[in-house]
Amino acid sequence: MTTVPSAENASGTTVATHRLTGEQRKAIVAGAIGNTVEWVDWAVYATFSPIFAGQFFAGGNETTALLSTLAVFAVGFVMRPIGGAVLGAYADRRGRKKGLTLTISLMAAASIVIAVCPTYTQIGVGAPIVLLLARLVQGFSAGGEFGSSSAFLIESAAPGRRAFAGSWQQVSVGAGSLIAALLGTILNSTLSDADLHGWGWRLAFGIAGLLGLVGLWLRRSVHETEAFGKISAKPRRNPVVAMFRDHPAAALRVAGVTIAGTLIYYVWVSYMPAYAHLSTGIPLKTALLANTLAMLVFICLLPFGGLLSDRIGRKATMTAFAAGFVVFAWPAFHFLANGFWSVFVIELIGLVLIVGYSANCAVIMAEQFPPEVRTTGIGLPYALAVAVFGGTAPYVTTWLNANHHGDLVWVYVAVAALIGVAVYLTMPETKGKQL
């Protein structure tokens, strides 16, 4: 069991320490690296879908096959709230460590299944069915991963370093996406088109699955958290029922905290390069390069954002993120120009502001709930908000652009930011709260 260091002042009150023990550092590494591997598996599908689409869907039309493959990808978002509820309840009943090992096992197994699945020409309609089932498992796993990894990282941290520890959850998500993009770049550069379509995409899924096994080994090597250990012997009700009945305000707060962050993150990371390409004529590869470099800076800044939150509080750093976008949304889209530096600076400013959300989201959500419902309380409301607001952001922005309303995307971002300001200013400050 992890021991959280503490000290007492003259009055006997426990004072949070800012020093991480070796075991706590190991827990952060295991939680973050395992989560990185989890998101490599998730992102590889999106990266390689144009390549393997024709292997699973017949008809000879590449566009139809790709749309079918992307539809299967979207189904994964439907499973995320279910995974958040089921796997969150499992982690609240059986422990964070068991929850984490289960989520990464499911994700790795699904990637390996996709890697070895026969094509449509070999087994007919069975191929897309297997692909769909594997994606359902991956979406289910991803739904449980956020709550389990967030609870584990926060509960494993020193009391005065909870936001710092939680920030690594988002570092690992960004790192997973970058690794998947790197895999795509290497395989596209080194393999012929025939090899890439024949077996190269399978290699990518196989590597993702094997990395999942590495993450499984890391997660099995860490101890259970002290917070769970304190309640493991107590009789407990169903965590999902207990969350809705005993903590409805906290659950709504988690969803509210997520709305602005997930919507703006998806617009800035997923939509902005395409918007820049369509609105200014800048080559897409140049816009994507600017996006990637800004993401690297963003990932490096996240732990520092966590340290800032541990010093000045959650409300201040979250409100700065949302208020910053209320001010920045219009100039960001208005002054975007056909040039690398224009796109890079706008991407970078936006992602620096998003650090205020991403470095805080795990710790704020974990601090809303007692340990007996913490994983469920984080995972289910978060997954619902991501599915409704984050999952629809690419569609809404694309629809606005397709219907000649691309100049209104900044309004969409600003409104989300205003909702964030309202939520963050009215939520209680949880820095220093006893877990």
Side-chain angles (χ1 to χ4, degrees), residues 334-395:
H334 182 75
F335 292 110
L336 193 66
N338 183 350
F340 168 83
W341 287 108
S342 170
V343 177
F344 174 72
V345 169
I346 287 172
E347 285 270 26
L348 183 60
I349 293 172
L351 285 169
V352 168
L353 290 172
I354 293 172
V355 167
Y357 166 78
S358 293
N360 270 304
C361 59
V363 70
I364 286 178
M365 295 174 194
E367 289 171 342
Q368 303 301 315
F369 301 96
E372 56 267 24
V373 296
R374 181 166 291 138
T375 307
T376 307
I378 298 169
L380 180 54
Y382 172 81
L384 286 169
V386 168
V388 173
F389 296 97
T392 58
Y395 178 86

Side-chain angles (χ1 to χ4, degrees), residues 46-241:
T47 302
F48 286 88
S49 56
I51 296 170
F52 68 80
Q55 306 283 334
F56 289 93
F57 296 94
N61 188 315
E62 290 185 3
T63 301
T64 302
L66 178 58
L67 288 173
S68 299
T69 306
L70 292 176
V72 172
F73 179 75
V75 168
F77 280 93
V78 178
M79 292 298 294
R80 289 178 70 158
I82 300 173
V86 176
L87 294 175
Y90 176 80
D92 281 330
R93 287 180 176 274
R94 303 297 300 276
R96 318 311 187 208
K97 179 178 176 178
K98 289 184 177 180
L100 287 170
T101 55
L102 179 58
T103 57
I104 201 164
S105 298
L106 290 171
M107 184 68 80
S111 288
I112 292 172
V113 166
I114 296 174
V116 301
C117 181
T119 65
Y120 186 91
T121 58
Q122 294 171 318
I123 61 171
V125 72
I129 290 175
V130 171
L131 180 67
L132 174 62
L133 292 175
R135 280 299 302 157
L136 291 175
V137 170
Q138 287 188 321
F140 180 77
S141 171
E145 171 67 20
F146 181 82
S148 297
S149 61
S150 296
F152 178 78
L153 286 167
I154 303 307
E155 291 178 356
S156 298
R161 283 289 182 264
R162 293 202 295 249
F164 171 76
S167 70
W168 287 92
Q169 202 280 339
Q170 291 294 299
V171 170
S172 61
V173 172
S177 299
L178 287 175
I179 291 172
L182 184 61
L183 270 176
T185 300
I186 292 173
L187 292 178
N188 271 284
S189 301
T190 58
L191 298 180
S192 67
D193 190 63
D195 286 341
L196 190 61
H197 284 76
W199 56 267
W201 65 270
R202 294 185 184 275
L203 179 61
F205 279 102
I207 292 172
L210 291 176
L211 286 174
L213 297 180
V214 175
L216 175 62
W217 172 75
L218 285 168
R219 288 182 166 182
R220 287 178 61 86
S221 69
V222 297
H223 297 296
E224 184 55 82
T225 68
E226 183 176 353
F228 178 79
K230 289 179 178 179
I231 55 99
S232 60
K234 297 179 181 179
R236 279 166 287 160
R237 295 163 293 178
N238 183 299
V240 178
V241 174

Side-chain angles (χ1 to χ4, degrees), residues 397-406:
T397 50
T398 301
W399 183 89
L400 286 171
N401 201 61
N403 287 274
H404 309 291
H405 297 302

